[in-house]
Structures are given as C-alpha cells and as structure tokens.
Amino acid sequence: MRRVVVTGLGMVTPLGCGVEKTWSRILDSQSGANKISGFQIDDLACRIACQIPLGDGSDGTFNADQWMEPKEQRKVDPFIVYAMAAATQALDDAGWKPTTYEDQCASGVLIGSGIGGIGGIYEASQTLIERGPRRVSPFFIPGRLINLAGGYVSIEHGLKGPNNAVVTACSTGSHAIGDAARLIALGDADVMVAGGTESPINRLSIAGFAACRALSTNFNDDPTRASRPYDKDRDGFVMGEGAGIVVLEEYEHAKARGAKIYAEVIGYGLSGDAYHITSPSEDGDGAYRCMSAAVKRAGISPSEIDYINAHGTSTPLGDELELKAVERVVGNAAGKLAMSSTKSAIGHLLGAAGSVEAIFSILAMRDGIVPPTLNLDNPSVETAIDLVPHTPKRKEVNVALSNSFGFGGTNASLIFRRVS
Amino acid sequence: MSDVADRVKKIVVEHLGVEADKVTDNANFIDDLGADSLDTVELVMAFEEEFNVEIPDDAAETIVTVGDAIKFLEKNAA
C-alpha cells in the first residue's frame, strides 16, 4: 500500500480559530469552558459548555464572514461553516489548490459529523408546528445533511475525487482521517481533505445528552473545573463545538511538490464493542482491540508509542476503562508513556473530537511537548502512565496515538509517526 | 418607486446578497442575480411572508424577474 502523510492542518475550537492560536492556548493550560450563552439554560441540568469565541477574527476569535459568504451561511448550520473554515486553513497550510482537471479528480473530501444539523432540525420543527409546511425553507434539508460539510468544501475548492462522510458519533473525526488515508493508500485519491465538524450546543442536544447522564452537572458555577478526566471528582463531559480538518497526501506526491510534511499516518484500527448503546464495554475490550489493530497495522511495538491523546471525556466509567486498556496494550512500557486528555481544555467536540485531537498529537510530535490534562488534582486510580496533570511537559514524541470511542460501541485509533 | 417595489427589492438584496443597484425591474433572478432554483423558492416564501399573501406554485413559476414580483404583489397583496 502507498504511504500517506499529513501536509495541512486546520481547526476551529473553543480556544480559538486557527491551529496555532488553539495550540498556544492549550499549552498555556487555558480552558474554553464557560456558562452557556445564546439560549435559555435555567431549566437545563447542565448549563456550561465550551463555545467558540465569536468576534471580528482578531486574536483567535471566529468571524464566519471570513470563511463563507453571509448569504450562504444563512442556509446552513454552523457545523458546515466550521468545516469550511478548517478545510480552507488546512488547504492553505498544505499549499494545495488543484486547478487542473486531473489534480481535481485526484483530490477528495471525507468530512463527518456526529449529529450534523441538529440545531437547524430543531428550529425547522418549530417552524413546521407553529407556521405550517409552506414556511419550511428549501435550504432546510441541504443545510443540515452531514455530508453537505464535505459537499460545500468540495465545491469551494474544486475537489472532484472521492466525496464521502463518516457518522460514528464521537469517533467520527478519527474514522474520517483513517478512512481517507486508506483511500489514498489504495490509490483512489492522491490528496484527501479529512476530519470532523460539529455544532451541537443548543437546548435540544444539551437536554438529550443530559438525559443520557453523559454531561457534567456538578460544576455549573465553576465551568473551567468541570472537564477533569481521570480525576476522582469527574462527573461527565462538557460539550464543545468546532472542527478539525487535515490534508492527507500520498507520500511521493507530497515530496514531489516539496510540501511540508507533518507526520505519516502509519496505523489505523477500528473495532466494535457489541455491548451497549452508550456505555463502553466493562472490560475495555473494544478499546484494547482497536488500539491493538492500529499497532499491528503500523508494524511497531506498543513500547514505541511516546504519547497518547486519550479519548478521556471525563465520564466516571469511560476514563478508567480506557486507561486500563492502554495499560494492557503497552504492558511494561507504561512508565515511559505520556497520555493526556485535551478535552479537559476544549471539552468534547463529539464528531470533531477525533480530528482535532489527531492534530494535537501531530503538534506534540512537531514541538516535542505534550499537552496537559487540566483539573487532574486527584487521580481516581493509580497508574505508571504520566497523565500530564495541569501543565504541558517537554518530551520527544516520535510516535503518537489518538483514541476515539463513540456511542453505539464504535472505536477508532490513529497512529502517527514523525517523518525524518 | 412604489412601496411594494421598495420592499421587494430589499428582500432580493438580503436573500441573494447582491448590490441594490443591480436589482432593477428587468433583472432576472437566475440569469442576472445569481439565484439558483432553491433561492427562487425561498424568495417566493419571503414575499409571501412580507406581504401576507399566498403565491400558488403556478403563479410562482411566472415570477422570474424583479418586475414580475412587483407586479404580482401590487395586484394581489392586501
């Protein structure tokens, strides 16, 4: 199979618009959590979230007008606007603008989302009930469909190759990158714009996830302390929003045009729990098999993994099960492994989590520094693995793994290696 | 310019994101103002909303320019 490398990065997160702005704030141990603004929250069990800082585009604020025409924005849910912003950043970063028909046909898109336009579906439902079917917009459907994120990106950038989307809840972003890498490895495309995007912060989603008992509810008055993976006081995840998109490219293609190469995608593993719709399997078996499959595909020894960006959502059950599965994978090498959850800073971006965290894993490799797990005051279990509490640490990272696990028992692990 | 014409042109500018001076009576929504088939459906909905009138599908199909819309609404709006 052909080798696949990462040549472009883009993101919009609760810590800012842009990769470097977000990363510098992650390394500064900042939190994107706050009291929810924009809708009624007094009757919700969870009243906090990590929302994207809106503004004129300066100092990392997100200005949608910089990424999509206002008349187009009006037709779509924010997850599509976030994808447009992150994809444009990634393609600019990669310096890839396909203009010939051949280059366009060799360039594809694979962008997923966990729940897509749930906010717009909620609003259109109200329109239907209150004002009747003749008031439902012709843009309601195309502006809410999950694959329209990739659709808009392909139209904007002339990507005529494979055009696909992944929907695997909180594993979406990782599956998107892994599946896109395989399309390149197998020769279906030379370049893929891949990742996840999500705009889930509205009354309906918060009510629904709170009903699943998945959200933190004990820190409504102290939002920045709520996302605390591995800590004994953790009580659920904090919802985030945004997008993470990468440009993947066949190695020789990237080399031939002198592209900057961030990392090689060397491993991708998938598994299913076949256990429960929302709870992870009790023995962490699904996570273990997924990481093992990625390690096997990478052809490395587990002891070669220097850093893991954990799924680590800050839920009582999930964090410890993942930790145990990781310990099982790496065995005696646990003492040299660093593993952190950046969800402690930006919350859980659901379908965008995997791709944003893959980018953090790549940046840890680039800069030789691993990001922290905020709020980890008292770990609930003992482990030889360094969970990087509170502040980042200098560490040479040659191989990094990123985990994502989703509702429905769907798991994905990606492994990246530095290209020397 | 009539009140109806002002209101129609304002809606067209907002929905299609075009400059006001391009929104002349003769301007065709699709050929001159860059609308697609979905935009024209939404425009008709916006006219219905603004003028509190129902525009049946067969009538909507005859509204292809800004002037068509103004004429229809001057005749049919309350």
Side-chain angles (χ1 to χ4, degrees):
Chain A
M1 291 211 291
R2 309 196 303 169
R3 294 173 68 184
V4 182
V5 293
V6 180
T7 57
L9 310 174
M11 62 168 60
V12 181
T13 78
L15 281 179
C17 180
V19 170
E20 300 306 332
K21 185 55 81 175
T22 296
W23 182 235
S24 67
R25 287 172 176 169
I26 287 273
L27 296 182
D28 192 31
S29 299
Q30 293 184 30
S31 164
N34 220 321
K35 193 172 274 289
I36 291 173
S37 68
F39 55 88
Q40 185 196 343
I41 55 170
D42 58 338
D43 56 351
L44 294 171
C46 170
R47 299 190 282 278
I48 57 174
C50 294
Q51 292 177 288
I52 286 173
L54 303 177
D56 62 5
S58 62
D59 195 32
T61 56
F62 181 69
N63 178 359
D65 292 352
Q66 292 178 337
W67 309 102
M68 202 171 183
E69 291 276 326
K71 82 176 172 91
E72 295 300 320
Q73 289 172 39
R74 217 171 32 79
K75 301 172 183 173
V76 303
D77 262 35
F79 77 100
I80 291 177
V81 187
Y82 301 158
M84 287 286 274
T88 299
Q89 292 168 25
L91 282 160
D92 285 350
D93 187 31
W96 182 244
K97 293 189 199 318
T99 50
T100 67
Y101 183 68
E102 286 71 25
D103 281 348
Q104 290 180 332
C105 293
S107 305
V109 59
L110 206 164
I111 297 173
S113 180
I115 49 180
I118 190 169
I121 292 170
Y122 167 55
E123 286 165 16
S125 303
Q126 289 179 312
T127 301
L128 177 68
I129 292 164
E130 290 164 11
R131 303 168 65 206
R134 288 183 62 85
R135 286 287 167 268
V136 175
S137 163
F139 299 108
F140 164 56
I141 296 294
R144 311 286 133 6
L145 295 179
I146 282 172
N147 71 299
L148 262 284
Y152 269 95
V153 167
S154 71
I155 293 165
E156 174 73 18
H157 297 285
L159 311 175
K160 298 186 179 180
N163 192 304
N164 201 348
V166 177
V167 181
T168 49
C170 307
S171 295
T172 298
S174 295
H175 277 135
I177 292 175
D179 288 356
R182 291 222 167 138
L183 289 173
I184 294 173
L186 292 168
D188 295 272
D190 291 331
V191 179
M192 289 293 293
V193 177
T197 183
E198 203 80 81
S199 54
I201 303 175
N202 54 69
R203 271 174 70 72
L204 182 60
S205 304
I206 297 284
F209 278 95
C212 292
R213 299 291 183 269
L215 298 176
S216 169
T217 54
N218 289 341
F219 295 88
N220 283 326
D221 296 321
D222 205 354
T224 62
R225 293 184 58 229
S227 187
R228 42 195 317 113
Y230 316 110
D231 187 83
K232 69 176 177 49
D233 292 329
R234 70 184 184 275
D235 72 325
F237 76 77
V238 177
M239 188 101 80
E241 61 177 341
I245 308 272
V246 299
V247 173
L248 301 173
E249 193 165 346
E250 193 269 323
Y251 179 57
E252 297 298 336
H253 188 276
K255 241 177 34 175
R257 67 182 188 91
K260 163 183 60 190
I261 294 174
Y262 284 99
E264 181 173 358
V265 186
I266 59 169
Y268 171 42
L270 311 81
S271 74
D273 284 350
Y275 174 72
H276 186 267
I277 54 171
T278 59
S279 296
S281 54
E282 280 171 343
D283 52 3
D285 169 65
Y288 170 78
R289 283 185 292 110
C290 165
M291 284 184 273
S292 299
V295 165
K296 186 179 171 199
R297 178 68 65 179
I300 60 168
S301 153
S303 63
E304 290 178 62
I305 301 168
D306 301 300
Y307 170 67
I308 293 181
N309 189 298
H311 185 59
T313 56
S314 188
T315 54
L317 209 54
D319 292 3
E320 284 178 29
L321 288 172
E322 180 183 15
L323 187 56
K324 286 200 174 69
V326 169
E327 286 174 337
R328 198 175 149 205
V329 169
V330 300
N332 292 332
K336 67 172 272 284
L337 178 67
M339 173 164 106
S340 60
S341 169
T342 42
K343 289 187 178 78
S344 59
I346 59 170
H348 189 355
L349 273 62
L350 309 183
S355 50
V356 165
E357 292 160 14
I359 293 172
F360 291 154
S361 306
I362 290 165
L363 295 171
M365 226 177 310
R366 182 192 70 177
D367 295 346
I369 190 164
V370 291
T373 304
L374 305 186
N375 297 314
L376 180 48
D377 299 332
N378 301 294
S380 62
V381 285
E382 280 189 23
T383 178
I385 297 169
D386 181 0
L387 298 174
V388 203
H390 305 300
T391 52
K393 273 190 188 149
R394 286 271 158 214
K395 181 180 169 74
E396 187 179 326
V397 180
N398 289 304
V399 176
L401 181 150
S402 185
N403 273 334
S404 297
F405 313 129
F407 278 4
T410 170
N411 312 306
S413 299
L414 293 165
I415 302 180
F416 301 94
R417 181 160 59 198
R418 186 205 292 271
V419 176
S420 48
Chain B
M1 198 186 291
S2 73
D3 168 56
V4 170
D6 276 348
R7 287 154 72 193
V8 164
K9 287 179 182 178
K10 187 160 174 276
I11 287 170
V12 174
V13 167
E14 278 171 10
H15 281 258
L16 299 183
V18 290
E19 299 295 327
D21 58 7
K22 292 203 172 133
V23 187
T24 59
D25 283 6
N26 291 330
N28 182 295
F29 294 123
I30 291 176
D31 296 338
D32 301 319
L33 300 177
D36 63 20
S37 58
L38 298 180
D39 288 318
T40 59
V41 174
E42 200 193 36
L43 266 182
V44 167
M45 285 173 58
F47 295 146
E48 290 184 327
E49 185 92 335
E50 170 71 17
F51 294 95
N52 194 25
V53 60
E54 189 165 315
I55 305 176
D57 286 351
D58 55 346
E61 279 167 24
T62 68
I63 299 175
V64 296
T65 67
V66 175
D68 293 339
I70 293 169
K71 253 181 268 167
F72 179 90
L73 291 163
E74 279 177 341
K75 203 194 300 182
N76 296 285

